[in-house]
Amino acid sequence: GDDVKPFTPEKTKEIVMSLQQPAVFCNMVGDWPALHWNAKYLSAVLDGKTIQFRLGLKTVGLVPQFETRCSYVKATLEEFLAWSCGQPSCLSGPFSCYEYSKYWAYADYKYIARIFEDKPEFFQDIRWSDFGFPGRSGKESTLWIGSEGANTPCHLDSYGCNLVLQVQGRKRWHLFPPGDTSFLYPTRIPYEESSVFSKVNITNPDLKRFPKFRNTTAHVVTLSPGQVLLVPRHWWHYVESIDPITISINSWIELDADHEARVEEAITRMLVCAIKSAENPSDGDPWLNPTEVEATSHEINLQYLNKAVSAYFKCQKASESEQPCSSSSGAEQRTTASCKRKKRAVGCEPEGCRLLTHEFGFSTFKAENLQKIPFGPHLIQVLPQPQETSSIGAVAVESDGRDLLHENEGGHFGKLHCTRNQPVMSNDCETPAHQMDSDGSPNASQTALSTNDFLDCLVNPHVINLVARLLLERARV
């Protein structure tokens, strides 16, 4: 029956906390009421409540469609459904300027605690306790509603690991291991707390500007309703909706490694805000992601850094004495997940992000442990793509979940539709081929470095990690 799970909560948590490769859980959520959260149902439940949608073009250019490059409207789910179905009523609504055949819409990153603040009973429709996290529900989860083509630019999350439940439609996930970071050309512009973006449009990569992208190892999976994807810590991911309407729910699981990551994020915020705020506003560079409320002052950022460092040592000391990092309740600990992104937007100031992750201790994963993971029909590995296709990035695995085990044994591969010839609009450290002199050196007129070039080097994840360790050593003394 639906109430019989293939894994106990304890075993599931052990898998989640130890596995450092993406995998799909099947047959774990059959009795969750949240599986009924399709768009029509949510439209009726929200009863005219408006939410913000991000709109982007369906055409695929060479530059990622960062959130700073998108348009935004506020609309009801009823209006979204009418627009996606091509109903005449949408001609005068909030989507009237956006032709469905040319645009996608994404209501992403909607905190369930906020949109259902007057209906808290709905939190219990999501039962992460089945994955070994008792008490974690919809209150610590986010909702994603998109139309066909809606996508999230390739990025990695600085904190935690990620559990994603697919509710309606299918989404295709392109995942890259942490070791591919240098091949994905990381950038912190646009700046967003806890998100490191890639400058590469992985579905249509500009290999002249980003030649190292050929060295990436893509793991691609199509997630279907009822499946739960585990995205391990620091795995890059690009996500796209491939059905007319998709709905998914996710929750971030805190890890002990987040303590140092908070320090790294505080350093990054301080540097990016200080340097970009010093630029001439007339330059018009939309460097702050719409998810960020404002460019915080140096004084606030310094406070944030010091509190992150203090919290790091507090939790380290508590770990050494095998005591919880704080006397706060479990509910407060679970709420830390909501600090993952848009921290200030949800009223979570630095002092509120206590890094309370003792109960979710992260285990160092060793190669031999892979043999102990119970892969099979209920837990499916997301395997790397063949080398000749993984460097292109536009490879998809069409599967209902049962075939994922056999992807390297004659599985079905398809190619995404891509269009080229779009202008490159961002400033990068790499010099495009057409800007080279005949001797192979950069044109003198094209060698002027921008602020973003400088920041890409200064706040590179490897550099920030080194700075964080040096700062922690200084603070320890």
Side-chain angles (χ1 to χ4, degrees), residues 332-364:
E332 287 177 322
Q333 294 192 30
R334 291 188 298 274
T335 304
T336 308
S338 298
C339 301
K340 154 75 180 60
R341 190 180 179 199
K342 300 184 185 173
K343 187 180 327 9
R344 289 159 183 80
V346 296
C348 182
E349 295 299 330
E351 58 267 33
C353 297
R354 299 188 182 91
L355 314 183
L356 307 172
T357 63
H358 182 80
E359 64 169 312
F360 304 133
F362 179 73
S363 303
T364 302

Side-chain angles (χ1 to χ4, degrees), residues 6 183 341 369 374-375 467:
F183 307 146
R341 190 180 179 199
N369 290 343
F375 293 118
V467 173

Side-chain angles (χ1 to χ4, degrees), residues 239-461:
V239 192
E240 58 181 340
S241 298
I242 59 175
D243 282 330
I245 293 178
T246 63
I247 293 179
S248 52
I249 296 168
N250 87 293
S251 190
W252 282 275
I253 307 300
E254 306 90 282
L255 303 171
D256 281 345
D258 292 347
H259 304 327
E260 188 171 343
R262 297 275 179 193
V263 177
E264 294 176 359
E265 283 300 300
I267 295 169
T268 301
R269 173 177 283 274
M270 175 179 288
L271 291 172
V272 172
C273 287
I275 293 173
K276 293 299 290 184
S277 296
E279 280 190 316
N280 190 332
S282 63
D283 290 346
D285 180 18
W287 64 273
L288 198 65
N289 217 42
T291 52
E292 291 288 322
V293 176
E294 62 182 353
T296 42
S297 68
H298 177 74
E299 290 72 23
I300 290 177
N301 292 334
L302 186 60
Q303 290 177 23
Y304 181 36
L305 173 62
N306 278 287
K307 287 172 181 175
V309 169
S310 297
Y312 171 87
F313 285 117
K314 181 178 180 180
C315 289
Q316 189 179 59
K317 184 178 180 180
S319 179
E320 291 171 354
S321 61
E322 297 186 349
Q323 297 294 324
C325 294
S326 170
S327 60
S328 300
S329 68
E332 287 177 322
Q333 294 192 30
R334 291 188 298 274
T335 304
T336 308
S338 298
C339 301
K340 154 75 180 60
R341 190 180 179 199
K342 300 184 185 173
K343 187 180 327 9
R344 289 159 183 80
V346 296
C348 182
E349 295 299 330
E351 58 267 33
C353 297
R354 299 188 182 91
L355 314 183
L356 307 172
T357 63
H358 182 80
E359 64 169 312
F360 304 133
F362 179 73
S363 303
T364 302
F365 187 77
K366 297 180 180 179
E368 58 265 25
N369 290 343
L370 193 61
Q371 304 298 325
K372 302 177 183 178
I373 299 296
F375 293 118
H378 306 299
L379 180 65
I380 302 168
Q381 267 185 291
V382 181
L383 299 174
Q385 298 299 296
Q387 189 63 36
E388 63 269 19
T389 56
S390 63
S391 64
I392 303 302
V395 178
V397 178
E398 297 293 348
S399 171
D400 61 0
R402 292 170 299 202
D403 300 328
L404 295 178
L405 287 170
H406 311 291
E407 287 174 359
N408 285 356
E409 302 173 18
H412 302 287
F413 296 94
K415 191 132 182 151
L416 295 179
H417 173 70
C418 298
T419 57
R420 288 184 176 270
N421 301 322
Q422 293 293 326
V424 176
M425 301 178 65
S426 62
N427 292 322
D428 301 291
C429 292
E430 298 72 36
T431 305
H434 67 272
Q435 294 181 3
M436 305 290 283
D437 281 331
S438 57
D439 62 357
S441 60
N443 294 341
S445 61
Q446 300 292 342
T447 56
L449 294 172
S450 69
T451 303
N452 291 355
D453 293 325
F454 175 68
L455 279 173
D456 282 339
C457 300
L458 183 63
V459 297
N460 180 282

Side-chain angles (χ1 to χ4, degrees), residues 55-97:
L55 293 106
L57 287 167
K58 288 184 177 180
T59 54
V60 181
L62 294 174
V63 180
Q65 288 197 59
F66 293 122
E67 292 170 61
T68 51
R69 301 167 60 91
C70 293
S71 301
Y72 294 83
V73 300
K74 286 191 174 182
T76 65
L77 275 182
E78 185 178 9
E79 290 169 327
F80 167 71
L81 287 170
W83 174 74
S84 62
C85 294
Q87 294 181 11
S89 59
C90 67
L91 295 177
S92 59
F95 293 100
S96 58
C97 297

